Amino acid sequence: MGRGGDQRRGRNRSDDAELGAAVARAQEGDERAFAVAYRLVHPGLLAYVRGLVGADAEDVMSEAWLEIARDLARFRGDGAGFRGWSATIARHRAMDHLRRQRRRPRGVPLDQEALELPGGQDTAEAALEALATSWVLEVIATLPREQAEAVLLRVVAGLDGAAAGRVLGKRPGSVRTAAHRGLRRLAVRLTEEDS
């Protein structure tokens, strides 16, 4: 997992220059640039939020992106800073969602996916990717909450220790330690399952 995580963080660093430029253009009103920023950030954020709220992640991310778009003019920073800022907003929306769920009973949602037409992507590939993502999130969900969030932010969303620390309100060292412990637990579990 370490090597894949290194590649993911390395890719994010190279994407950060593109992201920073896109955010700057989006702040000037360039809608295409906002779409580039969304494309670079959304997949990692969605996976992070899915690890927090499960099946409601798309709804939570819709709220988060509305807030990100509304407050974009106030953002100051580079691409890496934007990743952390948007992860903080997504986390706040996820925590709000979890609080609302505790206050009111949950209804049975309409299966919206059954009503949608298939997209232009390879269905088999999309299904395998969804299963793999779902399985990984299920395994991460077995970790203690602090470790699970640290792993999701560091490995899945690709944030560095300092940015993940700002999102969680913790020191970077404690986030790195929690992520390390979580990854070590996952490695032990995967080794046990392979035996």
Side-chain angles (χ1 to χ4, degrees):
M1 186 116 175
R3 186 174 177 174
D6 292 343
Q7 289 172 347
R8 179 174 202 90
R9 283 190 295 275
R11 187 183 78 228
N12 283 343
R13 281 191 208 112
S14 65
D15 287 348
D16 284 346
E18 179 183 2
L19 178 58
V23 168
R25 290 191 321 272
Q27 288 177 312
E28 295 170 358
D30 185 338
E31 291 179 17
R32 287 187 181 140
F34 187 82
V36 169
Y38 176 89
R39 178 182 51 80
L40 291 171
V41 173
H42 182 72
L45 283 182
L46 179 61
Y48 168 60
V49 170
R50 189 171 284 133
L52 298 175
V53 301
D56 295 333
E58 292 281 349
D59 293 337
V60 170
M61 283 309 302
S62 293
E63 292 177 24
W65 279 108
L66 285 172
E67 186 173 338
I68 290 166
R70 183 193 71 209
D71 295 344
L72 185 62
R74 288 187 254 171
F75 171 74
R76 299 289 175 258
D78 59 4
F82 182 78
R83 282 184 199 284
W85 180 73
S86 57
T88 299
I89 291 171
R91 183 175 192 272
H92 288 166
R93 296 299 63 79
M95 295 299 119
D96 290 347
H97 177 77
L98 292 172
R99 279 190 289 276
R100 282 192 304 270
Q101 275 188 324
R102 282 192 292 262
R103 279 187 259 152
R104 66 175 181 245
R106 187 174 171 117
V108 178
L110 174 65
D111 188 3
Q112 192 66 27
E113 291 179 10
L115 302 175
E116 294 176 5
L117 295 174
Q121 66 191 40
D122 179 6
T123 306
E125 183 179 312
L128 288 174
E129 184 177 320
L131 286 173
T133 300
S134 176
W135 180 81
V136 167
L137 292 176
E138 284 178 28
V139 173
I140 292 173
T142 65
L143 295 173
R145 183 177 183 99
E146 181 178 306
Q147 291 176 9
E149 274 200 86
V151 169
L152 287 167
L153 284 170
R154 297 272 298 157
V155 178
V156 177
L159 297 182
D160 64 17
R166 285 190 298 275
V167 170
L168 297 174
K170 298 182 181 286
R171 291 188 318 264
S174 51
V175 172
R176 284 190 292 270
T177 300
H180 176 73
R181 287 180 179 156
L183 290 171
R184 208 170 55 214
R185 277 185 174 199
L186 291 174
V188 167
R189 179 172 174 186
L190 293 174
T191 302
E192 288 172 354
E193 286 182 11
D194 285 345
S195 298

